[in-house]
């Protein structure tokens, strides 16, 4: 039972490079989201999806793109990396179960450094 | 919109001390409430949850009670251990208010000394 899998775990990019952070879940959850975690800022929502083909912006979407072609996958694309995007990125999935339970399941994170 | 406010850290305690981490929320609907824990170098994992008023969530000696009248969900533990050192996040989800994705507080770092 893999849960939420993120790759890579670590990445160093040069300013201006692009890359894709991968996220996959095997729990058939409808909802998926990307957060960034910075010291003193908690978790900030970048983009989210409520189902295949449906995405929306969160609190800090600039510089990032997402797509959701399948229920399982929700990749995050950095279009042109900037030092301000140095952060730890977390992918999460969640669902609405009985009793309005919407527990989120998190991946292990991707630590990104932009130099 | 929905929001979660939790006490700033770090909270530094000696082993076997009593722990309280305060959390209050605002929500347009009737939210479910959660506490997540993040150990160093890891992702977040659910610690406990409550889905309606007066529910008490509990796990690993931690407890939190859903108080609708004070919009609070404070985390408590009677006797902390060094292994409890981590960052704790209070969160809510509010499907009735249109928020299917959890909203998190800023996190509170707990450091427990032997």
């Amino acid at each position: 039972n893999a849960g939420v899998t993120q790759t890579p775990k670590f990445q160093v990019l040069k300013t201006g490079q692009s890359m894709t952070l991968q996220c996959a879940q095997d729990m058939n959850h409808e909802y998926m989201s990307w957060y960034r975690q910075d010291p003193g800022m908690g978790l900030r929502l970048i983009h989210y999806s409520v189902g295949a083909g449906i995405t929306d912006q969160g609190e800090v979407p600039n510089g990032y793109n997402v797509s959701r072609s399948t229920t399982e996958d929700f990749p995050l694309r950095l279009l042109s990396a900037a030092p301000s995007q140095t952060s730890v990125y977390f992918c999460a999935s969640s669902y609405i179960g009985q009793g309005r339970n919407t527990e989120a399941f998190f991946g292990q994170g991707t630590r990104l450094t932009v130099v | 919109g929905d929001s979660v406010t939790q006490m700033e850290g770090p909270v530094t305690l000696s082993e076997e001390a009593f722990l309280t981490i305060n959390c209050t929320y605002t929500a347009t609907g009737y939210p479910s409430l959660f506490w997540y824990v993040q150990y160093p170098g890891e992702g977040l994992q659910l610690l406990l949850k409550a889905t309606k008023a007066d529910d008490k969530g509990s796990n690993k000696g931690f407890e939190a009670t859903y108080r609708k009248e004070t919009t609070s969900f404070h985390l408590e533990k009677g006797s902390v251990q060094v292994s409890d050192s981590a960052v704790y996040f209070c969160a809510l989800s509010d499907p009735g208010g249109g928020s299917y994705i959890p909203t998190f507080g800023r996190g509170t770092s707990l450091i427990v000394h032997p």
Side-chain angles (χ1 to χ4, degrees):
Chain A
N1 190 2
V4 179
T5 302
Q6 286 185 241
T7 55
K9 286 187 169 52
F10 300 93
Q11 183 70 49
V12 178
L13 287 179
K14 293 183 178 178
T15 298
Q17 286 185 317
S18 63
M19 78 159 293
T20 299
L21 279 62
Q22 301 292 342
C23 176
Q25 54 96 4
D26 61 359
M27 297 171 284
N28 202 32
H29 287 171
E30 306 104 306
Y31 311 114
M32 296 188 74
S33 48
W34 276 102
Y35 298 86
R36 60 178 289 172
Q37 183 177 28
D38 302 292
M41 302 297 291
L43 289 168
R44 293 185 290 171
L45 182 65
I46 304 171
H47 285 285
Y48 65 96
S49 169
V50 298
I54 306 170
T55 63
D56 207 345
Q57 296 181 352
E59 181 185 355
V60 288
N62 291 341
Y64 307 95
N65 272 355
V66 292
S67 60
R68 184 104 179 264
S69 56
T70 66
T71 299
E72 295 78 19
D73 299 301
F74 191 46
L76 177 73
R77 298 184 190 84
L78 278 69
L79 309 173
S80 177
S84 61
Q85 293 178 304
T86 294
S87 187
V88 181
Y89 292 84
F90 288 100
C91 178
S93 71
S94 55
Y95 67 101
I96 296 182
Q98 288 187 343
R100 306 178 302 115
N101 176 11
T102 52
E103 173 186 349
F105 295 78
F106 282 81
Q108 290 295 297
T110 296
R111 185 174 296 274
L112 176 68
T113 302
V114 182
V115 297
Chain B
D2 296 348
S3 67
V4 175
T5 302
Q6 58 183 108
M7 62 189 288
E8 293 194 17
V11 174
T12 304
L13 295 172
S14 298
E15 206 164 26
E16 299 184 4
F18 184 85
L19 168 70
T20 299
I21 300 177
N22 291 336
C23 171
T24 58
Y25 68 89
T26 59
T28 54
Y30 192 153
S32 296
L33 302 175
F34 307 86
W35 278 99
Y36 289 83
V37 60
Q38 182 183 31
Y39 298 105
E42 298 185 10
L44 280 72
Q45 55 186 278
L46 181 70
L47 180 60
L48 53 84
K49 64 190 178 194
T51 59
K52 60 183 188 295
D54 300 325
D55 268 2
K56 178 185 283 188
S58 61
N59 186 26
K60 299 181 181 180
F62 291 90
E63 293 182 342
T65 301
Y66 190 143
R67 301 290 188 198
K68 198 167 191 293
E69 64 277 12
T70 55
T71 62
S72 64
F73 193 54
H74 305 320
L75 182 68
E76 296 182 335
K77 187 175 185 182
S79 176
V80 295
Q81 305 301 311
V82 172
S83 58
D84 293 326
S85 298
V87 181
Y88 293 82
F89 291 89
C90 186
L92 68 82
S93 64
D94 186 13
S99 174
Y100 301 96
I101 304 297
T103 298
F104 289 87
R106 290 198 169 191
T108 302
S109 175
L110 171 65
I111 302 168
V112 181
H113 294 294

